[in-house]
C-alpha cells in the first residue's frame, strides 16, 4: 500500500532545500494570521510539554521546509510552511488509534474524514494507526490538533 501513496500538498510550500528560510521570511510567506495561529499552537503545547522546535527539511521536496517539534527527544509532529498557512503532519501508531476512535465524533468533520482516510502505519490489536496532513486554517481547529498530539505522548501534569 505504501507504494500507492504519494503525498502531494494542495498549497505551495518551500521546497528549495538549499535555502533554509529565516523566521522573518516565514512570517511573510505564511502570512501574519497563520504565523500568529502557529505561535498560539506552540503556546498551548508549551503549557503541556517541554517543547523543542527545529527547522528541518524531512521527507523530500513534496513536504519542503518545516518545524520539527519534539518533547524530551520524542517526535510530536511536523509543521510544514505553506503559502498563507501551515500544515500539521502527525503520525499516530496503533495504540494511539485506540484512543482516537472513542473521541473521533468530537473532532471537526474535516479531521474525522482525514483520520478515516489516513495513510496506515502501525498496528495494535484491531487498530491501525496512520499519518494525517492537516492544514490548519482557523483558530478553532487548534484544540483538535492538541488532542491528536496528546495521543502520542501524554501531557506533563499541569499544576
Amino acid at each position: 500500500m505504501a507504494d500507492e501513496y504519494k503525498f502531494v500538498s494542495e498549497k505551495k510550500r518551500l521546497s528549495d532545500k538549499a535555502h533554509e528560510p529565516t523566521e522573518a521570511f516565514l512570517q511573510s510567506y505564511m502570512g501574519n494570521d497563520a504565523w500568529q495561529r502557529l505561535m498560539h499552537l506552540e503556546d498551548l503545547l508549551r503549557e503541556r510539554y517541554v517543547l523543542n522546535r527545529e527547522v528541518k527539511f524531512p521527507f523530500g521536496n513534496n513536504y519542503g521546509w518545516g518545524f520539527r517539534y519534539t518533547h524530551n527527544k520524542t517526535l510530536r509532529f511536523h509543521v510544514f510552511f505553506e503559502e498563507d498557512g501551515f500544515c500539521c503532519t502527525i503520525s499516530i501508531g496503533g495504540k494511539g488509534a485506540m484512543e482516537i476512535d472513542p473521541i473521533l465524533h468530537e473532532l471537526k468533520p474535516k479531521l474525522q474524514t482525514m483520520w478515516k482516510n489516513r495513510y496506515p502505519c502501525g498496528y495494535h490489536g484491531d487498530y491501525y494507526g496512520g499519518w494525517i496532513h492537516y492544514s490548519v486554517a482557523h483558530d478553532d481547529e487548534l484544540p483538535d490538533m492538541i488532542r491528536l498530539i496528546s495521543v502520542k505522548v501524554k501531557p506533563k501534569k499541569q499544576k
Side-chain angles (χ1 to χ4, degrees), residues 3 28 32 58 69 71 75 121 127-128 144 149 154:
D3 293 335
S28 173
N32 190 54
Y69 290 95
H71 164 77
L75 176 65
C121 73
Y127 294 90
Y128 281 97
D144 283 358
I149 293 164
K154 300 298 176 224

Side-chain angles (χ1 to χ4, degrees), residues 34-45:
W35 180 259
Q36 293 307 317
R37 187 172 299 113
L38 179 56
M39 294 302 99
H40 183 59
L41 176 60
E42 284 188 13
D43 290 342
L44 293 170
L45 289 168

Side-chain angles (χ1 to χ4, degrees), residues 63-82:
Y63 292 86
W65 285 101
F67 286 144
R68 179 182 192 268
Y69 290 95
T70 57
H71 164 77
N72 294 336
K73 297 186 182 181
T74 301
L75 176 65
R76 307 295 318 160
F77 68 112
H78 286 91
V79 163
F80 293 98
F81 314 125
E82 296 179 334

Side-chain angles (χ1 to χ4, degrees), residues 11 28-31 34 37 82-86:
K11 294 185 177 181
S28 173
Y29 184 77
M30 293 171 58
R37 187 172 299 113
E82 296 179 334
E83 191 171 43
D84 298 321
F86 65 92

Side-chain angles (χ1 to χ4, degrees), residues 90-110:
I90 304 170
S91 67
I92 296 174
K95 284 185 178 182
M98 289 179 4
E99 295 181 38
I100 290 178
D101 279 357
I103 65 165
L104 189 60
H105 69 282
E106 299 170 10
L107 303 176
K108 300 265 183 232
K110 176 181 162 186

Side-chain angles (χ1 to χ4, degrees), residues 113-130:
T113 299
M114 292 186 100
W115 180 251
K116 289 176 185 173
N117 297 317
R118 67 194 176 274
Y119 175 71
C121 73
Y123 181 74
H124 181 78
D126 292 332
Y127 294 90
Y128 281 97

